[in-house]
Amino acid sequence: MYVSNTSEPMPRRLLGKSHNQVFESDRGKSLVSIGAYALMPNHFHILMQEVNEGGIAKFMQRVGIGY
């Protein structure tokens, strides 16, 4: 979810990167503000607030593809 919450294009290669490298990368502006989440094997729940117009739709598209 951290990588998906950006207005920038998603990085193509995350394999082999440490957590620190991922969290230190510049993501640009956030699409949503996440209050809480629950990840299940076949679905997820997210409590979020839109930060930029159209942010929820774009964020959900990115998370859905990645999950």
Side-chain angles (χ1 to χ4, degrees):
M1 287 192 311
Y2 180 80
V3 176
S4 300
N5 191 13
T6 178
S7 57
E8 301 296 321
M10 290 183 68
R12 294 190 177 272
R13 300 283 307 191
L14 293 176
L15 282 173
K17 289 189 177 183
S18 69
H19 287 96
N20 290 338
Q21 289 173 320
V22 172
F23 291 129
E24 289 173 355
S25 62
D26 183 27
R27 295 180 307 134
K29 295 181 180 180
S30 295
L31 298 171
V32 296
S33 176
I34 299 172
Y37 64 92
L39 302 175
M40 316 294 194
N42 61 348
H43 70 284
F44 50 84
H45 300 270
I46 305 173
L47 176 65
M48 65 184 123
Q49 181 176 8
E50 191 170 65
V51 175
N52 294 323
E53 187 173 339
I56 290 178
K58 182 114 179 157
F59 176 76
M60 291 305 297
Q61 180 184 25
R62 289 172 172 229
V63 169
I65 290 170
Y67 196 65

